[in-house]
Amino acid sequence: MEITQVAPRLHLLDYSIGQAYLWRDEEELTLIDAGWAGSADATTEAIRAAGLDPDRLQRIVLTHCHGDHVGGAQELADRHGAEILAHRLDAPVIRGEAPVPEPDLLDWELPLYEHGLTVPAAPPTRVDREVEDGEELGFGDGAVVVHTPGHTPGSLAVHLPSHGVLFTGDTVASVQGVMFGVFHVDRDQAMESMRRLAKLAPSVLCCGHGAPVTEGTAARFAAAAG
């Protein structure tokens, strides 16, 4: 597990399959996604390695219900006293009350999907706050929820307009440049969501898979969204 500084208040946590982001405010830390089940110790140590106190973790925002994003959430939240947030439509899946929705896979996605299934299944995880499109989250000088259905019904992005930062979850990837993500439940809906996000014209793009994009970001995103 590696932690890398992306911007003065932003770190990337890389779990090899999937990743999370740590945002630092004056007194609080916020995680966007939480890695897989069993990764909480590594996450805590990575936060310490960045010179930060993991007990300042105030909230964990889950972009969607997949195991590589939610698996470590409850262990981290219980340990550090954080609140877990997710969109209303994915909350029942995260809690273990509903099955993970099956993606509509293209042929070339099948081997990638099989590899992704090597991540441990996420345990049932509490959601303390169910959020909706446009809701303000109380960090990052005005972080806002953007509902991005398609990857899963309750996928969300988090936009920090004051900082030009956008966390997209898996609607968008940055694996081979900025690109449409994979494993969507509804591909057309996910593409609509990607186009909506591109219109936000971020200067820093933080995807669920791939390196953060920090140069020529808005133009590259607009081109990928077509």
Side-chain angles (χ1 to χ4, degrees):
M1 232 279 298
E2 295 181 5
I3 186 164
T4 311
Q5 188 158 353
V6 178
R9 294 163 66 177
L10 177 63
H11 286 79
L12 164 71
L13 294 91
D14 186 351
Y15 298 90
S16 74
I17 296 179
Q19 52 206 37
Y21 294 90
L22 182 71
W23 179 266
R24 176 180 60 81
D25 285 312
E26 207 60 48
E27 301 296 330
E28 298 178 349
L29 301 175
T30 298
L31 262 181
I32 311 294
D33 290 326
W36 0 306
S39 67
D41 287 348
T43 300
T44 296
E45 289 311 309
I47 294 170
R48 286 200 183 103
L52 300 169
D53 178 1
D55 287 335
R56 289 170 54 195
L57 187 61
Q58 182 73 20
R59 66 189 65 75
I60 300 169
V61 184
L62 301 176
T63 61
H64 62 289
C65 60
H66 289 158
D68 55 327
H69 295 258
V70 311
Q74 183 149 331
E75 190 175 352
L76 286 165
D78 289 347
R79 181 182 299 174
H80 303 298
E83 180 184 37
I84 301 174
L85 292 71
H87 191 275
R88 171 181 56 84
L89 294 177
D90 271 20
V93 181
I94 293 166
R95 292 187 181 114
E97 298 163 359
V100 177
E102 288 291 326
D104 178 18
L105 296 172
L106 300 173
D107 288 346
W108 66 267
E109 293 179 308
L110 289 167
L112 286 175
Y113 189 67
E114 292 297 319
H115 180 57
L117 292 177
T118 61
V119 169
T125 296
R126 74 173 193 267
V127 176
D128 301 306
R129 178 179 166 191
E130 297 184 13
V131 298
E132 299 278 1
D133 187 65
E135 203 162 320
E136 212 268 291
L137 295 178
F139 76 95
D141 303 304
V144 178
V145 173
V146 184
H147 183 208
T148 53
H151 184 67
T152 63
S155 283
L156 62 81
V158 179
H159 185 214
L160 278 58
S162 299
H163 299 276
V165 175
L166 180 65
F167 303 95
T168 69
D170 285 357
T171 301
V172 188
S174 51
V175 177
Q176 298 171 329
V178 180
M179 58 181 281
F180 190 41
V182 295
F183 313 154
H184 302 302
V185 170
D186 184 325
R187 195 170 288 102
D188 290 343
Q189 197 176 42
M191 179 53 81
E192 263 182 54
S193 291
M194 181 173 173
R195 292 192 183 108
R196 181 184 177 199
L197 292 177
K199 288 176 182 172
L200 298 174
S203 52
V204 178
L205 183 66
C206 298
C207 303
H209 299 269
V213 181
T214 58
E215 293 184 6
T217 308
R220 291 167 67 185
F221 195 4

